[in-house]
């Protein structure tokens, strides 16, 4: 169906980061070229991944979802998720500030949207397709048209996808992740420095065992895994986009040494960083 197609647009720009012209963010998924893994993480914003071509694998709260063309995944605020895109894909991502839905919070100042398929799914995909097309073309008055489409999308979300009954455990987890987000923001800003569990716990006036339990229970991973994943995401970009040595990449991204970096990298990608870089360069050469 035509709602699934976006081939007529040019996607040379990887990301659109609106500032003042529209009240949300809309961009092409960073894993569009495939061979991509984004580990467990969460956001305060509500995210929608609209897949128009290719395939994606999502893991939300330990449950796996396979996304096919014409389908979208809605990720709630503070919902633990990871993404795998083994092959090239065409995915438009929307990040909607949580404050957009403030008038529709439950009494606990909480909002949750269902993942189940709805008969309105095609309309949602069509809206996102048209919003992206309008924004890219930037014809006179495009901001007004995009915003009108955006508010129609918000209407569908709150009227057709919003869950009115949410359990207490979900609300509790949301509150804990809000607190944990303050800590992880600090870690994101200082990932390339010394960040032992003890030092971070002291910075935020927690005991190390308590902070460790928070990560394990609410982030669904231990502290070290979160930190390794954070550092690895930056190291991966350096590996693919610079000519820096493996040792230098390890050092500038906070790994203790090359061996520590290589160990984490191999656990994720099944090969050493040097092998991965060589394989990627060979593949790019063959495709030219």
């Amino acid at each position: 169906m035509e709602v699934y197609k976006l081939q007529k647009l040019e996607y040379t720009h990887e990301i659109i980061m609106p500032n003042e012209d529209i009240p949300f963010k809309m961009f092409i998924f960073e894993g569009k070229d495939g061979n991509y893994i984004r580990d467990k993480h969460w956001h305060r914003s509500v995210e929608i991944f609209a897949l128009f071509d290719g395939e994606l694998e999502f893991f939300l709260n330990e449950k796996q979802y396979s996304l096919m063309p014409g389908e979208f995944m809605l990720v709630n605020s503070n919902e633990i998720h990871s993404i795998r895109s083994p092959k090239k894909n065409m995915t438009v991502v929307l990040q909607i500030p949580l404050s957009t839905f403030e008038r529709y919070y439950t009494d606990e100042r909480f909002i949750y949207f269902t993942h189940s398929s709805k008969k309105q799914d095609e309309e949602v995909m069509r809206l996102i397709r048209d919003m992206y097309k309008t924004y890219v073309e930037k014809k006179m008055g495009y901001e007004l048209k995009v915003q009108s489409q955006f508010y129609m999308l918000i209407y569908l979300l709150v009227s057709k996808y919003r869950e009115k009954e949410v359990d207490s455990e979900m609300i509790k987890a949301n509150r804990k992740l809000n607190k944990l987000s303050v800590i992880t923001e600090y870690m994101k800003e200082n990932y390339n420095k010394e960040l032992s569990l003890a030092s971070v716990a002291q910075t935020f006036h927690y005991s190390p065992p308590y902070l460790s339990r928070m990560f394990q229970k609410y982030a669904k991973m231990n502290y070290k895994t979160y930190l390794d994943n954070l550092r690895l995401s930056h190291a991966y970009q350096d590996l693919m986009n610079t000519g820096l040595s493996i040792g230098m990449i390890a050092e500038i991204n906070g790994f203790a040494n090359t061996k520590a970096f290589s160990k984490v990298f191999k656990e994720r990608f099944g090969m050493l960083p040097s092998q991965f870089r060589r394989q990627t360069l060979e593949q790019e050469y063959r495709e030219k």
Side-chain angles (χ1 to χ4, degrees):
M1 300 177 64
E2 66 169 353
V3 69
Y4 305 162
K5 302 300 181 183
L6 279 167
Q7 291 96 323
K8 293 182 180 179
L9 295 181
E10 180 61 50
Y11 303 117
T12 54
H13 45 290
E14 180 173 347
I15 249 177
I16 298 173
M17 297 299 282
N19 294 312
E20 298 179 356
D21 51 355
I22 56 177
F24 61 98
K25 293 180 180 179
M26 179 166 55
F27 52 92
I28 298 301
F29 178 46
E30 62 183 356
K32 63 183 175 60
D33 294 322
N35 198 26
Y36 175 90
I37 299 174
R38 180 72 163 91
D39 283 297
K40 290 178 180 177
H41 62 290
W42 65 95
H43 309 280
R44 283 287 288 160
S45 59
V46 173
E47 288 190 314
I48 298 177
F49 294 78
L51 180 66
F52 292 91
D53 190 40
E55 58 186 67
L56 291 177
E57 291 288 334
F58 279 82
F59 296 84
L60 279 78
N61 301 316
E62 311 302 315
K63 185 175 180 181
Q64 183 174 353
Y65 298 84
S66 297
L67 210 61
M68 303 303 291
E71 298 176 342
F72 68 89
M73 178 57 65
L74 195 154
V75 181
N76 288 285
S77 172
N78 285 342
E79 192 162 41
I80 305 294
H81 60 288
S82 61
I83 312 168
R84 287 173 171 75
S85 60
K87 300 177 182 179
K88 290 184 177 182
N89 61 88
M90 175 55 220
T91 306
V92 176
V93 183
L94 271 64
Q95 291 181 343
I96 306 171
L98 189 61
S99 58
T100 304
F101 305 99
E102 189 169 7
R103 291 181 59 189
Y104 305 96
Y105 288 165
T106 63
D107 292 340
E108 298 82 4
R109 299 191 59 76
F110 181 73
I111 192 165
Y112 184 84
F113 299 100
T114 182
H115 298 128
S116 60
S117 297
K118 302 280 187 180
K119 62 182 180 181
Q120 294 82 16
D121 283 5
E122 279 194 20
E123 187 173 359
V124 169
M125 290 296 292
R126 186 160 43 248
L127 277 169
I128 294 174
R129 178 200 63 183
D130 293 345
M131 286 163 61
Y132 184 81
K133 184 175 186 292
T134 299
Y135 194 84
V136 169
E137 292 176 347
K138 282 185 165 55
K139 294 180 180 179
M140 178 62 70
Y142 75 94
E143 308 100 318
L144 298 174
K145 185 175 181 180
V146 169
Q147 289 194 56
S148 69
Q149 294 163 332
F150 172 70
Y151 286 112
M152 183 62 196
L153 175 63
I154 298 304
Y155 165 73
L156 287 175
L157 292 180
V158 299
S159 63
K160 306 297 182 182
Y161 294 85
R162 174 174 171 263
E163 289 286 346
K164 296 179 180 178
E165 300 294 331
V166 291
D167 63 59
S168 58
E169 282 301 312
M170 192 180 294
I171 294 170
K172 181 181 178 182
N174 181 69
R175 289 173 179 165
K176 291 291 186 181
L177 283 169
N178 280 339
K179 292 182 178 180
L180 204 53
S181 291
V182 177
I183 298 170
T184 56
E185 284 302 314
Y186 172 82
M187 294 172 69
K188 289 173 185 177
E189 293 173 2
N190 297 280
Y191 70 92
N192 55 351
K193 302 174 183 176
E194 164 61 28
L195 282 180
S196 67
L197 175 64
S199 66
V200 173
Q202 183 178 29
T203 298
F204 290 92
H205 309 292
Y206 291 120
S207 70
Y210 180 79
L211 181 58
S212 178
R213 288 195 299 272
M214 281 183 69
F215 268 91
Q216 196 67 54
K217 184 171 182 178
Y218 296 107
K220 309 299 182 185
M221 70 185 89
N222 62 45
Y223 175 86
K224 184 178 184 303
T225 297
Y226 182 88
L227 180 57
D228 283 345
N229 289 344
L230 182 58
R231 288 170 169 167
L232 185 60
S233 66
H234 289 276
Y236 177 89
Q237 294 301 322
D238 290 336
L239 186 68
M240 294 296 97
N241 300 313
T242 75
L244 294 173
S245 69
I246 305 301
M248 181 59 69
I249 291 173
E251 180 181 343
I252 65 176
N253 287 290
F255 288 99
N257 48 49
T258 303
K259 184 178 179 180
F261 170 45
S262 297
K263 181 177 183 293
V264 173
F265 192 95
K266 188 172 183 180
E267 287 174 353
R268 172 71 49 74
F269 297 101
M271 63 183 76
L272 295 173
S274 56
Q275 295 172 310
F276 190 88
R277 173 184 264 175
R278 184 168 58 252
Q279 179 176 294
T280 301
L281 290 173
E282 290 173 352
Q283 182 177 341
E284 289 177 354
Y285 178 80
R286 287 194 298 270
E287 292 176 352
K288 289 182 178 178

